[in-house]
Amino acid sequence: MTRPRILQIGKLFPATEQALAAQYDVHLLASEADPKAFLAREGGNFVGVATSAGVGIDGATIAALPNLKVISSFGVGFDKVDVAAARARNIPVGYTPDVLNDCVADTAFGLVIDAGRRFTDSDRYLRRGDWLKAPYPLATRISGKKLGIVGLGRIGRVIARRASGFDMEVRYHNRRPVEGVEGYEATLEGLARWADFLVVAAAGGAGSRHLISREILAALGPQGFLINIARGTVVDEEALIEALENKTIAGAGLDVYEDEPRVPARLIACESAVLLPHLASGTRETRQAMGDLVLENLRSFFATGQVSVAVP
């Protein structure tokens, strides 16, 4: 029996790639010197696509695959997947939510602690030998502070649970209140003005581009910290750099950036910012679970015509 031919766009978790190759006829698009010419010749042979949230698939690539039946994406974000183009052809798009909630929330809270207590910066201070000259400056307490969450979805709710262990007061801002959840702030500016730590957990995409604007950062103020584990595009990065340089906010903890993996030199120079290389879901356990769901979405489609977990 002929195995379904799958186009892999970008690298995936190694164990996922191995399992894909064992079950399907997989071709890595990045192995082609001229991907556009390859798709023009061979695009009609592929029935499925395996991709990731960081790479996605655009409308032009979907159009170059006339027999495409299913897309399975490794990750929770789908702003780089042209979902509208897929839906126009009734192509289901699977993704991997929930299995990464805990690790992303852990990273968010790690950034809260590190930005406030300045552990990373104090580590550099010790290694430079500066402790021999003077004690490290005082930092900011975490317990009992006010935590604002921008986007109380799957991951935002887990972040809120983490905050309860530190006796933090939690409020949130969404497009609309979450039924049964107290602490809704009707405006993002109001949430920023109230919060000591503003954690961004909103979905990416055109609708949330630069949601954290110059005005929101001004509302957060010189004692406030911004934490972003969502998408780099949600924050106006230039405005954030200026706020850090001018100390109009106290600090930031970032796992995502507008033009990854290129991080502006001015941002790297900001010692009040903790910078991570987009590793929020980067544990062996979570990446394995994400890969398993990529495979399950494909298996389910070829068995039933539907992916197990489709984008909303």
Side-chain angles (χ1 to χ4, degrees):
M1 185 175 180
T2 303
R3 296 187 299 172
R5 198 164 193 212
I6 304 293
L7 182 68
Q8 181 184 327
I9 303 178
K11 301 294 287 183
L12 299 174
F13 185 54
T16 305
E17 291 188 343
Q18 292 169 13
L20 270 173
Q23 299 174 42
Y24 302 100
D25 179 4
V26 179
H27 187 85
L28 179 63
L29 185 60
S31 68
E32 294 296 329
D34 188 341
K36 184 180 289 188
F38 172 79
L39 290 177
R41 292 193 314 270
E42 302 286 340
N45 295 325
F46 294 98
V47 295
V49 159
T51 186
S52 65
V55 176
I57 179 171
D58 60 20
T61 304
I62 292 173
L65 302 168
N67 294 311
L68 182 63
K69 300 293 189 296
V70 60
I71 298 168
S72 186
S73 181
F74 184 102
V76 68
F78 47 87
D79 48 297
K80 291 188 177 181
V81 175
D82 193 333
V83 176
R87 285 189 177 143
R89 287 174 47 189
N90 295 316
I91 299 168
V93 180
Y95 74 139
T96 64
D98 292 324
V99 294
L100 46 64
N101 293 354
D102 284 322
C103 280
V104 176
D106 290 349
T107 301
F109 220 82
L111 285 169
V112 167
I113 296 170
D114 200 345
R117 293 297 307 274
R118 297 179 63 87
F119 288 149
T120 301
D121 187 62
S122 61
D123 174 89
R124 293 192 294 265
Y125 184 89
L126 181 152
R127 292 173 188 272
R128 288 195 305 264
D130 290 347
W131 192 21
L132 298 169
K133 305 170 189 176
Y136 187 76
L138 298 179
T140 299
R141 175 176 169 166
I142 306 302
S143 298
K145 294 289 186 172
K146 294 178 288 188
L147 185 82
I149 300 175
V150 183
L152 197 73
R154 294 178 173 95
I155 293 169
R157 290 178 188 235
V158 182
I159 293 169
R161 290 206 302 271
R162 299 288 187 272
S164 68
F166 284 78
D167 300 318
M168 301 178 88
E169 185 180 352
V170 176
R171 294 184 186 177
Y172 70 96
H173 174 73
N174 277 13
R175 290 192 181 94
R176 59 189 66 84
V178 177
E179 187 175 352
V181 180
E182 297 179 355
Y184 176 68
E185 280 284 340
T187 69
L188 179 52
E189 184 175 348
L191 182 68
R193 202 173 300 283
W194 171 84
D196 298 309
F197 294 87
L198 188 66
V199 180
V200 183
S208 63
R209 179 173 174 78
H210 290 184
L211 186 66
I212 306 301
S213 62
R214 199 175 305 276
E215 293 72 24
I216 298 304
L217 293 168
L220 184 58
Q223 304 302 315
F225 295 84
L226 179 75
I227 309 298
N228 188 12
I229 47 79
R231 284 289 181 267
T233 54
V234 180
V235 175
D236 183 337
E237 199 164 79
E238 178 63 26
L240 174 60
I241 291 169
E242 290 178 10
L244 292 166
E245 290 176 337
N246 298 327
K247 297 181 170 54
T248 54
I249 65 171
L254 309 174
D255 187 47
V256 289
Y257 310 89
E258 284 206 67
D259 186 24
E260 298 178 6
R262 289 162 288 278
V263 178
R266 286 171 59 204
L267 183 55
I268 292 172
C270 293
E271 293 193 353
S272 60
V274 181
L275 308 177
L276 304 181
H278 201 154
L279 51 67
S281 66
T283 65
R284 291 183 297 273
E285 297 88 346
T286 290
R287 293 292 170 85
Q288 181 66 55
M290 292 167 67
D292 290 346
L293 191 46
V294 167
L295 293 163
E296 171 57 24
N297 278 327
L298 290 172
R299 184 211 63 78
S300 175
F301 174 79
F302 288 117
T304 69
Q306 299 294 327
V307 295
S308 291
V309 186
V311 298

